[in-house]
């Protein structure tokens, strides 16, 4: 490693000498290095001052000489070090993309040899060299150099240092434009599989949680107002259904992204006799992309993945909101275990469901990653533009965040119980059986709009008498409408109300059992688990 220093003195010369006596140093979001703050009452940030930037140059070119760029043939000047720092991407992509880059290069070398564009001997040296680089990266001995810009140039330059001339043939009929998007498609394909695994794990935990709470009736809410009684199992399975749609979107996304851009080169393809179908097959793609311009410029597959992640994040956020509310004293329905709770630095009594609060909060981050990429892509001209380097950080962040959200929600679901007694004592409030009473009148032949009005009058009577619908006498009910008979009490109370739900997919006990059986079978869960 060597440290390069340069001075930008124009602004320094223009700055009053009295302001340059003492400095404090802070991270600079532009340079990723340092910012000067002056010791005065209001901070003054100068546009450019004398500064020192440390650059890890490394390599075999000596202590002071910088390595020539692999693309530097037509350039007479060295790249400005600030520009070099601003344009590098190795700092955030190396860990994510190196494995896919090596895999793509091996497939490309095999194809070039098969097409007579390099000898088998050169191909073997390249494959062996890439294997050595892979082991160095895995062991942490590989040196990533920012002056080599990105993961592709780092690996290719290291390969050239290792085996010499044969490595220079590897980039035949390939541009970084098609190389990077090949890496990204391979990475996204693997990312989808990882997320799908986490989704299934959460579905399993939610179904198990439902099985542990058989028959528990809770208030169902609309507008956050009490509406109708539902089984807790029914509510939990509603989130399982949402996650299943999330999984479906990701599966469909994977189908559309699984096409190979390799061989599209910069944008126009190549006149060399390559076989794009061979590399596509070796890398496990469905087929090569038909249009080379589209192949290098398309980022729809990332947008689609981030959109799918965003919808999943919204689902998790809503679940998080529900459990946070239910863990409050005002509800008291849910009791997270100590292992998934945190305390307060000042209030000794506090027990906070922080993981689900952060799930709710991090959903904004995942949605923000999608917004960043949408705005990035909206005004780009056709084919590849360097702006697209900015697609990686939102992509990596979205996948990392949604994966963590799914994992911690699974752990929370495995460590939450429900306060049956508190829930049961809360059920009488809210006239949850009112709609079931309206259905009773419909079964007696009354039009629903009329039954709605009649039950509304019954509720008003309960409010006046400070009682529940089931507490009204038959005389009370017949005083509202003579249609009521003794069998009305079979429809009143939350237990009777739940048992009267019979439509497909409803909260009735029989229907919920069918839903549970379906999910236990699909997710391979036994009732004893």
């Amino acid at each position: 490693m060597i440290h390069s220093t340069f001075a930008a003195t124009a602004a320094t010369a223009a700055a009053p000498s009295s302001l340059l006596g003492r400095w404090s140093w802070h991270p600079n979001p532009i340079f990723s290095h340092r910012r000067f703050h002056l010791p005065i009452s209001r901070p003054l940030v100068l546009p450019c001052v004398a500064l020192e930037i440390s650059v890890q140059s490394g390599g075999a070119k000596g202590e002071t000489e910088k390595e020539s760029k692999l693309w530097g043939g037509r350039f007479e000047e060295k790249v400005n070090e600030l520009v070099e720092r601003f344009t590098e991407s190795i700092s955030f992509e190396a860990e994510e993309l190196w494995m896919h880059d090596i895999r793509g290069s091996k497939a490309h070398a095999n194809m070039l040899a098969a097409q007579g564009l390099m000898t088998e001997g050169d191909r073997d040296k390249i494959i062996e060299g890439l294997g050595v680089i892979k082991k160095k990266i895995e062991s942490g001995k590989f040196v990533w150099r920012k002056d080599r810009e990105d993961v592709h140039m780092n690996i290719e330059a290291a390969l050239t240092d290792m085996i010499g001339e044969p490595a220079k043939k590897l980039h035949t009929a390939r541009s970084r434009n098609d190389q990077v998007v090949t890496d990204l498609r391979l990475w996204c394909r693997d990312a989808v599989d990882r997320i799908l695994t986490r989704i299934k794990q959460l579905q399993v935990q939610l179904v198990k949680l439902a099985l542990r709470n058989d028959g528990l009736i809770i208030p169902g809410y609309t507008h956050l107002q009490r509406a109708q009684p539902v089984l807790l199992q029914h509510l939990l399975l509603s989130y399982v259904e949402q996650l299943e749609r999330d999984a479906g979107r990701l599966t469909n996304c994977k189908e559309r992204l699984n096409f190979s851009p390799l061989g599209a080169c910069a944008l126009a393809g190549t006149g060399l006799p390559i076989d794009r179908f061979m590399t596509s097959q070796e890398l496990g793609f469905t087929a090569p992309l038909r249009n080379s311009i589209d192949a290098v410029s398309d980022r729809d597959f990332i947008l689609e993945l981030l959109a799918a992640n965003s919808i999943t994040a919204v689902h998790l956020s809503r679940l998080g909101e529900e459990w946070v509310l239910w863990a409050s004293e005002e509800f008291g329905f849910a009791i997270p275990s100590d292992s998934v709770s945190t305390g307060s630095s000042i209030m000794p009594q506090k027990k906070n469901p922080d993981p689900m609060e952060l799930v709710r909060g991090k959903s904004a981050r995942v949605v923000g990653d999608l917004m960043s990429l949408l705005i990035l892509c909206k005004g780009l001209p056709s084919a590849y533009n360097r702006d697209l380097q900015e697609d990686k950080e939102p992509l990596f962040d979205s996948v990392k965040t949604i994966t963590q959200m799914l994992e911690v929600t699974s752990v929370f679901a495995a460590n939450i119980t429900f306060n049956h007694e508190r829930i049961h004592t809360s059920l009488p409030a809210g006239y949850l059986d009112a709609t079931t009473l309206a259905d009773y009148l419909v079964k007696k032949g009354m039009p629903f709009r009329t039954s709605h009005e009649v039950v509304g009058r019954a509720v008003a009577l309960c409010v006046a008498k400070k009682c529940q619908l089931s507490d009204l006498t038959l005389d009370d009910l017949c005083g509202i409408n003579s249609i009521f008979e003794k069998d009305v009490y079979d429809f009143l109370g939350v237990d009777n109300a739940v048992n009267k739900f019979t439509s497909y997919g409803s909260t009735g006990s029989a229907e919920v059992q069918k839903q549970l059986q379906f999910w236990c079978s699909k997710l391979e869960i036994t009732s004893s688990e």
Side-chain angles (χ1 to χ4, degrees):
M1 178 190 300
I2 66 172
H3 295 276
S4 301
T5 304
F6 72 92
T9 60
T12 307
S17 60
S18 61
L19 298 180
L20 301 178
R22 208 172 80 200
W23 305 93
S24 62
W25 304 81
H26 296 283
N28 187 316
I30 299 177
F31 295 87
S32 296
H33 188 61
R34 295 176 175 178
R35 174 186 294 176
F36 297 108
H37 278 183
L38 305 181
I40 57 180
S41 58
R42 292 179 58 191
L44 171 63
V45 179
L46 299 178
C48 188
V49 293
L51 56 107
E52 179 181 76
I53 294 181
S54 299
V55 179
Q56 185 175 356
S57 298
K61 292 292 182 178
E63 290 300 313
T64 58
E65 182 184 357
K66 288 185 63 178
E67 179 179 81
S68 297
K69 301 291 187 184
L70 294 179
W71 44 258
R74 61 95 64 211
F75 290 84
E76 296 181 0
E77 298 179 33
K78 298 292 185 181
V79 176
N80 180 285
E81 292 193 36
L82 180 58
V83 171
E84 194 166 71
R85 280 181 170 275
F86 188 70
T87 57
E88 65 84 18
S89 58
I90 193 65
S91 59
F92 54 80
E93 72 181 14
E95 183 179 349
E96 303 291 346
L97 295 181
W98 70 264
M99 186 182 301
H100 305 90
D101 198 72
I102 288 176
R103 184 181 178 188
S105 290
K106 287 181 176 180
H108 191 64
N110 285 331
M111 181 275 294
L112 292 176
Q115 295 300 108
L117 293 170
M118 71 167 58
T119 66
E120 291 187 358
D122 286 345
R123 186 270 318 274
D124 292 343
K125 290 177 182 177
I126 288 171
I127 298 295
E128 182 180 357
L130 290 171
V132 172
I133 290 172
K134 178 177 181 289
K135 290 180 180 178
K136 283 188 175 182
I137 296 172
E138 290 173 335
S139 66
K141 296 179 180 179
F142 188 85
V143 178
W144 296 105
R145 292 174 48 170
K146 289 186 178 181
D147 62 320
R148 288 176 174 175
E149 302 176 33
D150 55 38
V151 66
H152 328 294
M153 302 294 272
N154 264 267
I155 291 174
E156 183 181 343
L159 184 65
T160 303
D161 291 343
M162 186 184 305
I163 67 173
E165 288 297 312
K168 297 180 181 180
K169 299 178 181 179
L170 180 58
H171 211 55
T172 303
R174 186 174 70 169
S175 162
R176 280 189 292 178
N177 295 359
D178 62 331
Q179 187 177 0
V180 66
V181 75
T182 299
D183 292 356
L184 286 173
R185 284 177 181 266
L186 291 170
W187 190 92
C188 287
R189 193 172 66 188
D190 290 348
V192 167
D193 289 339
R194 293 196 302 272
I195 298 169
L196 286 172
T197 298
R198 282 14 177 240
I199 286 176
K200 183 176 180 181
Q201 289 170 348
L202 178 53
Q203 287 179 303
V204 168
Q205 290 301 328
L206 289 172
V207 172
K208 289 182 176 180
L209 186 57
L211 290 170
R212 293 196 296 269
N213 290 276
D214 184 37
L216 178 58
I217 299 173
I218 62 170
Y221 293 84
T222 63
H223 308 274
L224 205 55
Q225 303 295 315
R226 293 194 168 206
Q228 292 178 278
V230 297
L231 289 171
L232 175 63
Q233 294 173 316
H234 193 213
L235 177 63
L236 292 172
L237 292 181
S238 73
Y239 285 104
V240 177
E241 295 283 354
Q242 292 171 31
L243 290 165
E244 187 68 10
R245 291 195 297 275
D246 295 331
R249 273 183 286 272
L250 287 166
T251 300
N252 293 338
C253 170
K254 182 179 176 182
E255 291 174 359
R256 276 185 289 276
L257 72 81
N258 197 38
F259 289 84
S260 175
L262 191 57
C265 300
L267 79 161
T270 180
L272 295 172
I274 65 171
D275 185 349
R276 291 187 62 207
F277 288 88
M278 178 179 174
T279 52
S280 173
Q281 183 175 12
E282 182 170 341
L283 293 172
F285 288 117
T286 303
L289 287 161
R290 285 189 297 268
N291 185 296
S292 61
I293 296 175
D294 177 59
V296 299
S297 60
D298 170 47
R299 294 299 186 273
D300 291 359
F301 66 98
I302 302 180
L303 288 169
E304 191 171 355
L305 174 55
L306 267 57
N309 286 349
S310 296
I311 297 172
T312 303
V314 169
H315 290 156
L316 296 178
S317 178
R318 295 181 66 186
L319 176 59
E321 166 70 2
E322 195 148 67
W323 283 356
V324 167
L325 282 175
W326 284 17
S328 68
E329 288 294 333
E330 285 69 23
F331 277 81
F333 291 177
I335 307 172
S337 75
D338 289 354
S339 66
V340 292
S341 304
T342 65
S344 165
S345 63
I346 189 172
M347 295 171 283
Q349 83 282 9
K350 291 296 294 296
K351 180 180 176 180
N352 301 322
D354 277 9
M356 298 314 294
E357 293 179 49
L358 279 172
V359 164
R360 188 178 59 192
K362 285 180 181 290
S363 65
R365 181 171 176 165
V366 176
V367 174
D369 289 330
L370 171 61
M371 294 301 105
S372 294
L373 193 58
L374 283 168
I375 294 168
L376 173 70
C377 293
K378 75 172 183 62
L380 294 181
S382 63
Y384 182 82
N385 298 273
R386 190 61 179 269
D387 311 51
L388 291 175
Q389 177 173 298
E390 292 297 298
D391 61 4
K392 299 176 188 64
E393 289 182 285
L395 169 62
F396 299 154
D397 183 70
S398 174
V399 170
K400 178 182 178 180
T401 305
I402 198 65
T403 300
Q404 292 174 339
M405 290 170 67
L406 287 162
E407 289 172 344
V408 79
T409 305
S410 294
V411 171
F412 202 90
N415 288 278
I416 189 174
T417 56
F418 295 94
N419 189 336
H420 289 224
E421 182 179 355
R422 177 72 172 266
I423 292 171
H424 182 73
T425 57
S426 75
L427 286 173
Y431 311 105
L432 298 173
D433 47 357
T435 306
T436 309
L437 181 58
D439 290 344
Y440 164 82
L441 295 175
V442 169
K443 289 181 177 180
K444 292 288 185 179
M446 182 180 289
F448 178 76
R449 283 301 172 198
T450 305
S451 72
H452 189 288
E453 180 184 355
V454 169
V455 174
R457 289 165 61 192
V459 169
L461 179 59
C462 287
V463 172
K465 298 183 68 170
K466 297 181 180 180
C467 68
Q468 300 301 313
L469 286 169
S470 58
D471 296 329
L472 294 176
T473 66
L474 186 58
D475 288 341
D476 290 332
L477 292 170
C478 288
I480 298 171
N481 193 293
S482 60
I483 197 172
F484 287 106
E485 300 180 46
K486 289 183 179 180
D487 59 350
V488 67
Y489 294 102
D490 294 334
F491 288 77
L492 295 177
V494 293
D495 292 290
N496 286 333
V498 166
N499 289 331
K500 295 302 180 183
F501 289 103
T502 57
S503 61
Y504 176 78
S506 70
T507 199
S509 299
E511 285 299 314
V512 170
Q513 285 303 311
K514 292 177 185 177
Q515 295 171 45
L516 275 170
Q517 290 169 9
F518 169 82
W519 285 112
C520 285
S521 174
K522 183 175 179 62
L523 298 172
E524 300 178 328
I525 301 171
T526 62
S527 57
S528 60
E529 288 187 74

